[in-house]
């Protein structure tokens, strides 16, 4: 699995918890983070480099643990490779069904917010609800720096969320895998009457289904290992990833083939 950085760990945690027998290889493309301000061409190039490397490691499936990379690059990736590719898409459909006020907000990166595949997903699943798309420039960078509990992070979130609160939303979708790490700050700002939705569980379920369908599920817990790579290794990042993943992370350098 991979992400532009540490955000995909929110998905990795859930996969590791529910599929503990599976070996995990996690790539944080931190040298190129954030993806949210990159062009589609740049993102597709990074996605293909990482996927080729993962396939070289003989993985049996790839989880694109990044909403931005999913909307921009997953279709062409599925055409290039034959193993199961599982993407991360914001929970628009369940959010629209859940909302009583029929007003739902989506927090996403800038690249996701303007992506046509994403916009047509919104259209397809909004089910009559009004959808407020809020790009959050700068937020991924703060989380990457380990500032996910800082005053700075609170302030930037407040700026993004305040206008949404005035729109009478009752459901908020986290459309970037970094954002679950600021979920408690978000909940503090929006209050308990707003439901926050994320996608780690549905992605894990989808991965489990695909592995099961193809007879690829692992079944020997004592052998399972987790390996972590980054395109910009630092002690600070290893420390942060250990905290966010919830166990000690040894970080190795990722070098594309
Ligand atoms: N975690 C990525 C996502 O889900 C972050 C994108 C970025 O690096 O801007 O979109």
């Amino acid at each position: 699995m991979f992400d532009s950085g540490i955000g995909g760990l929110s998905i990795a945690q859930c996969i590791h918890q529910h599929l503990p027998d599976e070996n995990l290889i996690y790539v944080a493309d931190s040298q190129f983070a954030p993806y949210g301000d990159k062009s589609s061409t740049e993102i597709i190039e990074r996605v293909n480099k990482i996927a080729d490397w993962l396939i070289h490691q003989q993985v049996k499936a790839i989880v694109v643990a990044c909403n931005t990379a999913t909307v921009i690059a997953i279709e062409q990736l599925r055409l290039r490779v034959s193993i199961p590719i599982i993407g991360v898409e914001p929970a628009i459909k369940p959010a629209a069904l859940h909302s009583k006020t029929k007003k739902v907000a989506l927090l996403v990166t800038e690249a996701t917010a303007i992506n046509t595949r994403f916009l047509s997903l919104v259209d397809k699943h909004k089910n009559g609800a009004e959808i407020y798309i809020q790009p959050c420039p700068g937020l991924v960078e703060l989380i990457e720096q380990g500032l996910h509990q800082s005053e700075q992070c609170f302030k930037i979130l407040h700026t993004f969320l305040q206008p949404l609160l005035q729109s009478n939303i009752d459901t908020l979708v986290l459309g970037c895998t970094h954002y679950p790490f600021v979920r408690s700050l978000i909940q503090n700002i929006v209050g308990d009457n707003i439901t926050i939705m994320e996608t780690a569980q549905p992605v894990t379920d989808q991965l489990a289904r695909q592995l099961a369908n193809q007879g690829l599920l692992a079944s020997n817990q004592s052998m399972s290992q987790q390996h972590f790579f980054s395109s910009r290794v630092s002690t600070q990042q290893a420390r942060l990833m250990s905290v966010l993943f919830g166990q000690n992370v040894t970080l190795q350098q990722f070098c594309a083939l």
Side-chain angles (χ1 to χ4, degrees), residues 46-64:
R46 290 310 299 165
V47 165
N48 290 344
K49 278 206 162 85
I50 297 168
D52 287 347
W53 182 86
L54 285 170
I55 288 167
H56 192 71
Q57 312 303 310
Q58 299 184 316
V59 298
K60 59 186 176 184
I62 296 177
V63 178
V64 181

Side-chain angles (χ1 to χ4, degrees), residues 11-249:
I11 309 278
Q13 267 178 337
C14 190
I15 292 177
H16 183 49
Q17 190 185 343
H18 290 90
L19 300 171
D21 298 331
E22 301 295 346
N23 293 316
L24 286 182
I25 301 179
Y26 184 94
V27 177
D29 197 15
S30 304
Q31 181 73 28
F32 293 85
Y35 282 176
D37 65 4
K38 305 284 183 300
S39 69
S40 296
T41 315
E42 286 173 293
I43 294 169
I44 288 172
E45 193 182 315
R46 290 310 299 165
V47 165
N48 290 344
K49 278 206 162 85
I50 297 168
D52 287 347
W53 182 86
L54 285 170
I55 288 167
H56 192 71
Q57 312 303 310
Q58 299 184 316
V59 298
K60 59 186 176 184
I62 296 177
V63 178
V64 181
C66 173
N67 293 74
T68 312
T70 298
V71 291
I72 289 168
I74 204 166
E75 276 169 7
Q76 62 83 39
L77 183 60
R78 285 190 173 128
L79 294 174
R80 285 179 83 239
V81 305
S82 54
I83 59 171
I85 307 287
I86 291 90
V88 181
E89 274 163 6
I92 306 164
K93 195 175 178 179
L97 289 173
H98 172 272
S99 174
K100 298 227 167 10
T101 59
K102 290 288 161 212
K103 289 177 194 292
V104 171
L106 295 183
L107 301 187
V108 292
T109 66
E110 289 165 287
T112 300
I114 55 163
N115 178 266
T116 47
R117 184 170 183 268
F118 165 71
L119 294 172
S120 55
L121 273 180
V122 171
D123 249 8
K124 186 171 160 201
H125 296 308
K126 66 183 180 192
N127 195 26
E130 206 165 330
I131 309 283
Y132 298 83
I133 299 168
Q134 177 62 54
C136 305
L139 185 53
V140 163
E141 288 91 323
L142 287 176
I143 298 168
E144 284 289 314
Q145 289 169 50
L147 296 172
H148 53 288
Q149 287 168 337
S150 66
E151 181 64 24
Q152 217 176 335
C153 207
F154 182 86
K155 278 191 183 141
I156 193 174
L157 278 168
H158 197 270
T159 318
F160 298 137
L161 294 167
Q162 204 51 47
L164 298 171
L165 291 176
Q166 281 157 15
S167 307
N168 196 27
I169 58 153
D170 65 353
T171 312
L172 185 63
V173 177
L174 306 185
C176 167
T177 54
H178 281 73
Y179 301 167
F181 294 123
V182 291
R183 184 180 176 141
S184 54
L185 281 187
I186 295 175
Q187 196 83 67
N188 276 347
I189 296 168
V190 300
D192 289 338
N193 293 336
I194 291 185
T195 305
I196 298 177
M197 290 190 168
E198 52 181 285
T199 32
Q201 191 61 55
V203 172
T204 303
D205 294 344
Q206 175 67 359
L207 172 65
R209 252 191 318 269
Q210 292 227 24
L211 292 179
N213 284 346
Q214 307 207 17
L216 291 172
L217 274 174
S219 59
N220 188 351
Q221 190 167 6
S222 60
M223 299 290 287
S224 105
Q225 294 180 358
Q226 296 79 48
H227 296 286
F228 297 87
F229 292 80
S230 170
S231 51
R232 201 188 53 207
V233 171
S234 70
T235 340
Q236 190 205 355
Q237 187 177 37
R239 213 176 300 130
L240 181 58
M241 287 175 75
S242 303
V243 171
L244 298 182
F245 188 64
Q247 70 182 53
N248 193 37
V249 164

